Amino acid sequence: METTATILHADLDAFYASVEQLLDPSLRGKPIAVGGGVVLAASYEARAFGVRGGMPGRKARELCPQLIFVGGNFSHYQRLGDAAIKVLDDFTPVVERISIDEAFADVAGCTHLFGQPRDIATAIRHRVRAELGLPISIGVARTKHLAKIASQVAKPDGLVVVDPGTELDFLHDLPVSLMWGVGPATKSRLAEIGIQTIGELARTHSGALTRLLGPAAGEKLAALAWNRDPRKLETRRRAHSAGAQSALGQKPAVARVIVPTLLHLADRVASRLRAKARPGRTVTVRVRFADLSAVTRSITLDQPISATTMLAEIAGDLVRGVLADHPREKTISLLAISVSHLEESAELQLDLPLGLADEKRRPGSKKGLARFGADRAIDKIRERFGKQAVGYGTVALEAARSVPDEFRELAEKEL
C-alpha cells in the first residue's frame, strides 16, 4: 500500500440535476428532479425534503410539493461528463472512470509537475467549475475505498484530504452506509446487531460478520473498515459482466409486471453482448422486495448465450424460484439481470435435433439459431432506424417508458 495519499476520487455533485440547473439558470436554488414517473436524479434542494433517485414521482411530490420535474438533456450529460474526465486526464494518465460522473485518478507520478495531491485536487475543482460551470467534490487518500468515502464527506462541492496518520480516526466515526457495498438492506442487517458506524464494524468479530453477511461480504467489509484495500487503478479494464436493472417503485410480484420488465432488461443486456460478440455463460437475477431486502439467484449454462428471449426466459425461471422461496413477499421494488463469464468470439457448437425439452434455450439448436437470427435482424433495423423502431412486444416497450433508454445507457458500462 502507498505511504502517501495520492489517489483522488472525483465525483460531480448531483450531476444530472446540476446540468439542468446549468442549462436553465431559472432552476438554480430550486428543488428539481430529472424524470417524471420515477425520479432519475434530484438536486440538493430536493434532497433536503427527502427526495431520492429511484423514488416514484408521486411520492416525491408528496415530500416536496414545490418540486419541479424536468426532462433529460442526455447529450449534454454525456458531453459534460466526458469534459470533466478530460480535466483529470490533463493532470495524469492514470485515470479509472467508473461512471459518467465519477472517476479515480492516481497523481503519484505528476506531483513534480503540478504540486502536492491537495494542490492538484484544488486545481481540478477550479477548472471544472470555471470551464464547465459544474460543482465537483474530491476525496484524496491512500486507498480507493477511503478516497471514495472522502469525496462523499466532501459533498457538496468540497475537498477532503485524508492524511495517512489520521485514516482510522477519520474513518471509524463515519456511518457504515458510506462504505462501498453497504446498501439499505446490508445497513439494516448491520443495525440489527448494533452496528451503526464503521468503527463498530471494525471492532466486530469476524465470525459474527460472516454469519450475518456471508464469508465473502463479511471479510471484504471487515478489511475495508480497517482501510485495507490493495486495489490499484485499472485504466483499460474490460467488463467481466453486463447488467441492467429497473426500479419499479412498489409493484405486485405478478407475471404481468415481471415478464415485460425482464424482457426489457434482457433486451438491454443481450443487445450489448451481441454488439461486442461477447456471449456469457452465467445468468444472475436480483429481486428486491418492498422492505429493500434483496435476493439473488444465478445459473451457469453449458454454452454462452446472447439471445434476448433466451435470456429473458432463463431470468424468469430464476425470479420465479426466488418468489417460490419467499412466499410471503407480495411486492417487488426492483428487478435486475446480469450476464457474466463472458467469452470472446465463442465458437458455437451445433446441437443434434434430438427434440430436447429445452431446445429453444440451447444456442446451437435449430430453434436457438432462429432466435439469434431474429435478434440480429432487430439489431440491424435499430442500427438504421433507431432503437424505438422495433422491439420485442408492446408490453416490453411500455415497461421502459418510466425511465428513458438514454438515461439507462449513460449508466451502463462499456464491454
Side-chain angles (χ1 to χ4, degrees), residues 338-358:
S338 68
V339 178
S340 55
H341 293 134
L342 306 185
E343 300 192 0
E344 300 277 357
S345 302
E347 293 185 3
L348 182 61
Q349 182 175 343
L350 298 179
D351 292 347
L352 294 173
L354 302 177
L356 300 175
D358 65 344

Side-chain angles (χ1 to χ4, degrees), residues 215-244:
E219 291 175 9
K220 178 183 177 181
L221 290 182
L224 294 177
W226 288 103
N227 196 34
R228 293 195 289 266
D229 182 12
R231 294 173 299 164
K232 302 293 184 182
L233 272 66
E234 300 180 48
T235 58
R236 281 183 166 71
R237 65 179 181 179
R238 296 196 75 185
H240 300 296
S241 65

Side-chain angles (χ1 to χ4, degrees), residues 85-97 104-114 233-236:
I85 302 303
K86 178 64 169 60
V87 173
L88 297 177
D89 292 335
D90 288 345
F91 288 88
T92 174
V94 188
V95 175
E96 177 185 343
R97 188 173 186 174
F104 288 102
D106 192 336
V107 298
C110 60
T111 54
H112 63 292
L113 295 174
F114 304 112
L233 272 66
E234 300 180 48
T235 58
R236 281 183 166 71

Side-chain angles (χ1 to χ4, degrees), residues 177-211:
S177 58
L178 291 181
M179 296 183 70
W180 227 337
V182 177
T186 301
K187 177 185 174 182
S188 177
R189 297 176 73 180
L190 290 171
E192 290 175 359
I193 61 172
I195 297 176
Q196 303 284 347
T197 68
I198 297 175
E200 290 169 342
L201 175 62
R203 292 185 290 271
T204 301
H205 191 276
S206 59
L209 292 177
T210 297
R211 288 190 295 273

Side-chain angles (χ1 to χ4, degrees), residues 39-108:
V39 175
L40 306 179
S43 67
Y44 279 102
E45 296 86 356
R47 294 182 189 185
F49 291 87
V51 178
R52 295 290 185 270
M55 177 179 290
R58 180 178 299 177
K59 182 178 180 181
R61 288 189 178 90
E62 291 174 355
L63 292 172
C64 181
Q66 65 270 46
L67 185 66
I68 301 171
F69 273 95
V70 297
N73 287 281
F74 302 102
S75 61
H76 288 292
Y77 299 158
Q78 189 69 64
R79 174 180 63 82
L80 290 167
D82 291 346
I85 302 303
K86 178 64 169 60
V87 173
L88 297 177
D89 292 335
D90 288 345
F91 288 88
T92 174
V94 188
V95 175
E96 177 185 343
R97 188 173 186 174
I98 57 177
S99 71
I100 188 174
D101 59 352
E102 61 178 318
F104 288 102
D106 192 336
V107 298

Side-chain angles (χ1 to χ4, degrees), residues 250-274:
Q250 301 286 319
K251 294 291 180 66
V254 295
R256 64 179 172 81
V257 173
I258 294 170
V259 171
T261 301
L262 291 179
L263 183 54
H264 182 62
L265 294 175
D267 183 15
R268 287 162 53 193
V269 174
S271 61
R272 293 165 61 205
L273 297 177
R274 293 192 299 274

